[in-house]
Amino acid sequence: MISHDLHALGFDAPDLDTLVNSVAEAGAVGVEDVGGFDLLAAFTDPSGARLALMKQKGHDEMETMASLVAPTTHPADLVRFSSAVALVDIYSHASLASILTGDSVLKLPTANRKHLARFLANVDDPVEIPLCPEPGDDTPRFVENLRVGAVANQMLRVFESEDDYGRSHEGSLGSELQFAAGTLISPWLMEINAGRATRREASAVAEMTMVCKRVERRTNALTGVDWYRIVGDTSIPMTLAVPADLPRAPHEGSVVTGQVVPVVSTGTWEGDALWG
């Protein structure tokens, strides 16, 4: 049985070895011996679903990562805690300052950016991000247009509207207190901050509540299996992959909630050249 995150992208197969062989034959691209990896590769399906393949130096097993081509991008600082898990700080896009230069007005980005969100995420092109496994040596990389998405890691719950979510047991504490629909929380980040976990132990698994703004049913061309690509709002706009066999179909205005894995990409796999 394939894992739920791969199923959320339509990457269904009898087992993981069969899937890896299929994407290799279908044209996965990558490089060997780069940035602490014996192999770093990815297959991007025409539907926008992506499977990243990683083999760390000194490890025998091939690791897989469910990812996707996310149209939602944000300015961000990133520090990598382990082979593929990074701390992500999201900022607002820079506002513009006007400077009078002769007869024209030059528009320049201001230095001040508003911090919008912080969470842990898997990075599908991790060698682009500096590895800082211990506190004190953090050297973040700034990415102007970081692709930001998430993949369902369990069967998500779907509410018809924000009002329905607010009236639910999950979205309220009695009749007086309702929780806003639109959150992303990294439990492992809280564990690290409390000193109960190390950076190397951290997982990117998060709890999400998203308000759907656009819902598209897509077909994974490799497998023929459908999945939903949702663009919506959490604490920030982002893109979410969920399986097409949800008990209730998501739609514009609905709320989806549950466990996900945030995944980000600097855009390497959309580029024309890889490392080296």
Side-chain angles (χ1 to χ4, degrees):
M1 188 70 178
I2 211 71
S3 62
H4 194 88
D5 54 349
L6 293 174
H7 174 57
L9 290 156
F11 280 123
D12 287 19
D15 52 62
L16 193 56
D17 286 343
T18 301
L19 178 61
V20 170
N21 290 335
S22 295
V23 300
E25 294 173 1
V29 296
V31 293
E32 296 179 334
D33 192 19
V34 59
F37 294 89
D38 286 330
L39 175 68
L40 188 59
F43 170 77
T44 304
D45 186 77
S47 66
R50 174 175 294 152
L51 178 66
L53 306 172
M54 303 174 183
K55 185 175 182 295
Q56 298 180 58
K57 287 187 179 296
H59 291 67
D60 294 330
E61 294 184 357
M62 179 81 72
E63 299 174 68
T64 60
M65 179 191 298
S67 185
L68 73 163
V69 180
T72 42
T73 65
H74 299 276
D77 278 329
L78 296 96
V79 171
R80 192 155 49 102
F81 283 1
S82 59
S83 61
V85 176
L87 175 68
V88 182
D89 282 298
I90 300 292
Y91 301 96
S92 62
H93 288 278
S95 57
L96 296 177
S98 300
I99 300 177
L100 188 62
T101 58
D103 296 328
S104 62
V105 175
L106 178 64
K107 296 286 187 178
L108 295 174
T110 63
N112 296 324
R113 294 180 183 271
K114 181 181 178 182
H115 186 265
L116 300 178
R118 167 174 279 193
F119 53 88
L120 297 176
N122 285 342
V123 187
D124 70 15
D125 49 0
V127 298
E128 292 290 335
I129 308 304
L131 178 61
C132 305
E134 301 295 336
D137 61 354
D138 295 354
T139 306
R141 180 189 167 187
F142 177 73
V143 179
E144 182 65 41
N145 293 291
L146 183 72
R147 293 184 178 272
V148 181
V151 179
N153 198 39
Q154 62 173 211
M155 191 62 74
L156 301 188
R157 298 169 295 283
V158 181
F159 295 89
E160 285 298 304
S161 66
E162 291 184 67
D163 287 342
D164 283 349
Y165 173 76
R167 289 191 295 266
S168 70
H169 174 75
E170 183 173 346
S172 67
L173 286 177
S175 59
E176 297 182 358
L177 178 61
Q178 292 189 347
F179 299 116
T183 57
L184 180 66
I185 299 171
S186 291
W188 278 94
L189 184 55
M190 293 187 287
E191 293 296 297
I192 292 172
N193 292 339
R196 293 188 293 265
T198 68
R199 293 184 175 192
R200 296 177 188 272
E201 295 171 330
S203 164
V205 170
E207 295 293 331
M208 169 190 281
T209 302
M210 173 182 277
V211 181
C212 302
K213 300 299 184 184
R214 187 167 74 245
V215 179
E216 302 169 346
R217 190 178 179 109
R218 298 196 162 203
T219 302
N220 188 308
L222 180 71
T223 63
V225 177
D226 285 359
W227 59 287
Y228 287 112
R229 193 183 81 167
I230 303 172
V231 175
D233 290 334
T234 61
S235 51
I236 56 170
M238 58 195 306
T239 307
L240 173 65
V242 301
D245 58 357
L246 288 174
R248 178 182 294 174
H251 56 80
E252 182 179 336
S254 64
V255 173
V256 293
T257 179
Q259 190 179 92
V260 303
V261 179
V263 61
V264 298
S265 178
T266 68
T268 297
W269 305 115
E270 284 83 51
D272 295 327
L274 300 179
W275 311 277

